[in-house]
Amino acid sequence: MALNKKHYILLSIFFFILGIANVLASLLGEYYFGILWFCSLTVWLFTLGLYLRNNFLLSTILTASFFLELLWTIDVISYLTLGRLTIGIAEYLFTISPARFIITFYHLFLFIVPILIVFDQKKFHKFSWAGASAFLLIVLIITLLLTKANINCVRSTCELGVFDFFNNLISNLSSFIPLFLVHWLLATIIVFIPTHYLFKYMVKWISKE
């Protein structure tokens, strides 16, 4: 069933509520700068994209969030079923409060819904990778300006789990390029561009059905 304007508005309200809940969980837990995490801010941009039914924003969000949310989903499923993290990027799950644990499931919606939306629209913006790259760069700069905490890995490399083999590359590059720019460049080249082409061809294939 194709989604209409009412469906998009209802979804935008749902994600707006998720965003508010995430902010409240961070503030009540005195984790004030937690609202600056990339995925947390992605919720707000996705809410705007849904409300406007803007294909560029919706394609950008899918490109920006898909890989991270896929890894998060794998980690959470393994955590709930096996008691351990398969990927190892969601170590925070072991330390957060029950309330924040429940709220963090917004990641699951941010993984599934953007895919369904783009498939519903049957088009994928040709500059989604650039939008994702620009969005990440803006988030990293804002994070650097507003906090000295290692939010979005701007101060030091975050937990990479099974991908920790990237640490040497990141360390070498950050010796002559600011770390946040290293993360931005690697995310753009290794994550955003491949994700863009993956969904570009998937949507193209689905639209022919």
Side-chain angles (χ1 to χ4, degrees):
M1 181 185 72
L3 301 179
N4 57 36
K5 184 177 180 179
K6 181 180 179 180
H7 294 135
Y8 277 81
I9 291 176
L10 289 175
L11 281 171
S12 70
I13 293 173
F14 174 72
F15 275 90
F16 179 80
I17 293 172
L18 283 182
I20 292 295
N22 188 43
V23 169
L24 290 176
S26 295
L27 296 179
L28 293 175
E30 297 185 352
Y31 184 51
Y32 304 118
F33 291 112
I35 61 177
L36 294 176
W37 278 105
F38 181 70
C39 291
S40 297
L41 295 176
T42 299
V43 171
W44 296 109
L45 189 62
F46 188 50
T47 299
L48 179 62
L50 286 168
Y51 183 76
L52 298 176
R53 299 175 69 183
N54 185 290
N55 183 255
F56 172 67
L57 290 179
L58 296 171
S59 300
T60 289
I61 291 305
L62 179 53
T63 302
S65 66
F66 173 75
F67 185 69
L68 282 175
E69 304 303 355
L70 172 62
L71 299 184
W72 182 90
T73 301
I74 293 172
D75 257 357
V76 168
I77 290 175
S78 66
Y79 175 71
L80 294 175
T81 58
L82 304 175
R84 59 182 176 83
L85 304 177
T86 299
I87 305 298
I89 66 166
E91 293 285 346
Y92 71 94
L93 291 174
F94 293 110
T95 60
I96 59 177
S97 66
R100 281 192 61 207
F101 182 82
I102 294 173
I103 295 299
T104 199
F105 274 83
Y106 78 84
H107 287 281
L108 184 61
F109 294 106
L110 200 55
F111 172 55
I112 297 173
V113 178
I115 298 175
L116 298 178
I117 290 296
V118 168
F119 285 171
D120 173 71
Q121 293 193 333
K122 293 185 178 180
K123 58 181 178 179
F124 196 70
H125 202 282
K126 62 181 179 180
F127 292 125
S128 77
W129 69 270
S133 181
F135 179 54
L136 175 59
L137 182 59
I138 291 169
V139 169
L140 293 176
I141 292 173
I142 290 174
T143 305
L144 277 170
L145 293 175
L146 294 183
T147 177
K148 294 187 180 300
N150 192 37
I151 304 296
N152 294 315
C153 315
V154 294
R155 307 290 177 184
S156 62
T157 302
C158 288
E159 179 58 56
L160 296 178
V162 298
F163 300 102
D164 61 2
F165 56 85
F166 278 111
N167 281 333
N168 287 335
L169 174 61
I170 293 172
S171 178
N172 291 333
L173 291 174
S174 62
S175 63
F176 57 91
I177 301 175
L179 182 63
F180 81 97
L181 288 180
V182 173
H183 287 152
W184 169 64
L185 287 171
L186 290 179
T188 299
I189 296 170
I190 298 175
V191 178
F192 297 155
I193 292 177
T195 301
H196 165 82
Y197 282 103
L198 169 66
F199 281 101
K200 175 184 176 182
Y201 289 111
M202 286 183 67
V203 171
K204 183 177 181 181
W205 178 72
I206 288 175
S207 64
K208 292 181 179 179
E209 294 296 312

